[in-house]
Amino acid sequence: MRASDESAPSPADLAPVFDVYDVSTAGDRLLYVGRPAADARTLERELVALFREYGYRIEIRDDHPDRDRQVPPDSYVLVAQPRGISGFPWRNAVLFVLTVLSTLFAGAFYWYQLPVFSDPLSALEAWPFSAAIIGVLGVHELGHYVMTRYHDVDASLPYFIPLPLYIGSMGAVIRMRERIPTRRALLDIGASGPLAGLAATVVVTVVGLQLEPLAVQEAAATASESATRIQFNNPPLLTIIAELTGTAGKLERGLVHPVVFGGWVGMLVTVLNLLPVGQLDGGHIVRAIVGPRQETIAAAVPGALFALAGYLAFVRGGFDSVGIWAMWGLFATGLAYAGPASPMRDEPLDRERVAVGVLTLVLGALCFTPIPVEIVTP
């Protein structure tokens, strides 16, 4: 039995806080069943360092992973799994390649208007659009990943989500495999993604604004002056960047190179991720700053999103972007119900970390526009 040799903690090692009476294995997992001397959160906090010495992360459960086995009411199951990435991350790699193809298709078909069905290789001409989208999404997630490594939190590499529509992707995520140790780590991990993603977004936007619109865009704009069209409205940050780079005239014309849309996507992703609810980046940041009171703030988020959707539909008298905010209202409801990411140690933050969190939220506010997508009729 692996838990009795030197490759993993023995029941005797756990005895001060966890009276283990059954040890078993399930694949690469170790299962310790026993009676705790403290609640689950304290038990995890006391034992996490011990198991890390042996290369394991832990989870405390009140049910057994084997559904056929029952756990007595006075007992817990401690599940220990190897930490880190084992083997080549095939799933991440495949999803990344599919997202590259998806963004190439979206750029070529919707923006460059290339004959991708008769000449699939023509989609390669849309590589600047693909690089812009993948760049802002990937840098955002890599910001999170770097901070998880810095704080020694076991997490996956980014998972990209392909979707061959206007953007070419539904974003990217990393999966936390264990609890975050402190509020400081929670703040660092939560803020690092938006800050890194915004840095990439600014670079992509500046580069895109220096490029001239495509000939097919010019022709389509002329032809659509008397037709209904989709308009992507500019958040304040995009306007500020255009003013600072002397390209505000391009933005006012409403006709810019598709790479600029990559920056627009980065700003929308930042706004949505910084909603202060559940385990979104904004939820991490606010939970780190205000502690358990974050749940009160999170409870108000779905109502605010539904109110915005209602205002656009019934007061403004249209359905522009109503679906976006209504859908995210439903999503936020589920996230608020699931609750925030609670660190193992809940000490308050220092002033510097609070300032970083507030700055991140302020920058996120500059990416907000109440009507990101609008249907314009002549």
Side-chain angles (χ1 to χ4, degrees), residues 44-58:
E44 180 183 36
R45 187 167 60 243
E46 293 294 327
L47 295 178
V48 65
L50 171 64
F51 277 87
R52 282 189 176 187
E53 291 178 10
Y54 288 87
Y56 288 95
R57 55 187 165 89
I58 63 172

Side-chain angles (χ1 to χ4, degrees), residues 167-245:
I167 296 174
S169 173
M170 286 184 66
V173 297
I174 65 171
R175 183 168 65 89
M176 301 289 182
R177 296 194 180 103
E178 62 184 349
R179 287 266 301 281
I180 295 173
T182 63
R183 279 202 202 180
R184 177 178 174 176
L186 186 63
L187 186 286
D188 289 353
I189 293 170
S192 59
L195 291 176
L198 276 175
T201 293
V202 170
V203 171
V204 164
T205 303
V206 169
V207 170
L209 286 170
Q210 306 309 310
L211 303 174
E212 293 301 321
L214 303 175
V216 291
Q217 289 180 280
E218 299 273 9
T222 301
S224 65
E225 288 180 356
S226 59
T228 299
R229 69 184 189 278
I230 298 175
Q231 177 174 298
F232 298 94
N233 292 324
N234 302 322
L237 182 59
L238 186 51
T239 303
I240 292 170
I241 294 171
E243 292 284 352
L244 293 176
T245 56

